[in-house]
Amino acid sequence: MKLVGNIQDIRGSRNTKNEGIALHIDRIEYVTHKKDGRFFQPFDLEVELETPLVITGDCLARTDNKHLEEGEYEFLVYDKVDDGYELNESKQLSIETAYDYDADVTILRSVYYTVTVSNEEFKQLKTEQGKARAAKKGKGRKR
């Protein structure tokens, strides 16, 4: 995870001027809701990315959550569609920063990026991750 630019420049509305701000995300959490007995339960899958996902500041707008601590931010995520931007309700981003007064820099402490997917997409992602993990360990290879 890496932060380029000043994240505090992002305000409550999406702005094209924030293209210089970039978040490099190396972990995505996929979430789906399945019926477990009588109730729907959330199931999640964390995926480590080989190449980081880059989200630029022009695709973000800060939420107005008053219950966050200092240095914590939540964002609405927009997708670029042709020439415009469209709010994607299934994506959520929250980050935690700390300020180092001695070095006069803002440090990115954690990034939490979730994508809500359908049950079918979740099953497909889970099988792909299992295959990738097995290939990485070397199981199933012929010698």
Side-chain angles (χ1 to χ4, degrees):
M1 67 184 173
K2 182 171 123 179
L3 173 64
V4 177
N6 187 1
I7 198 73
Q8 295 175 349
D9 288 345
I10 298 175
R11 298 291 174 209
S13 61
R14 194 207 61 75
N15 193 342
T16 310
K17 294 178 184 177
N18 293 329
E19 283 181 320
I21 301 169
L23 272 169
H24 298 257
I25 300 171
D26 55 0
R27 182 180 297 158
I28 298 177
E29 180 180 23
Y30 293 99
V31 177
T32 189
H33 293 81
K34 295 180 187 177
K35 195 165 188 174
D36 184 23
R38 291 177 40 193
F39 304 103
F40 281 94
Q41 301 290 331
F43 290 88
D44 64 333
L45 172 69
E46 280 192 14
V47 176
E48 291 279 337
L49 302 174
E50 292 178 17
T51 58
L53 171 69
V54 179
I55 299 178
T56 56
D58 61 330
C59 294
L60 299 175
R62 198 183 314 180
T63 62
D64 57 349
N65 189 348
K66 304 291 184 202
H67 301 289
L68 296 174
E69 298 290 324
E70 182 180 345
E72 293 180 357
Y73 303 99
E74 288 182 347
F75 297 97
L76 301 173
V77 181
Y78 290 81
D79 290 333
K80 289 184 182 180
V81 179
D82 297 327
D83 294 335
Y85 294 88
E86 188 175 295
L87 178 63
N88 192 335
E89 297 284 338
S90 66
K91 296 180 180 179
Q92 299 173 346
L93 175 68
S94 61
I95 66 169
E96 186 178 335
T97 61
Y99 187 74
D100 185 359
Y101 292 100
D102 296 332
D104 194 30
V105 293
T106 301
I107 301 168
L108 185 63
R109 293 183 60 196
S110 68
V111 176
Y112 187 70
Y113 184 64
T114 60
V115 179
T116 304
V117 295
S118 67
N119 289 335
E120 292 79 25
E121 289 176 281
F122 187 80
K123 286 178 187 175
Q124 183 180 3
L125 285 166
K126 200 165 188 173
T127 56
E128 288 174 6
Q129 282 301 110
K131 289 178 183 177
R133 207 172 312 124
K136 192 180 252 187
K137 288 183 179 179
K139 291 184 179 178
R141 289 189 188 172
K142 292 186 178 181
R143 294 179 190 236

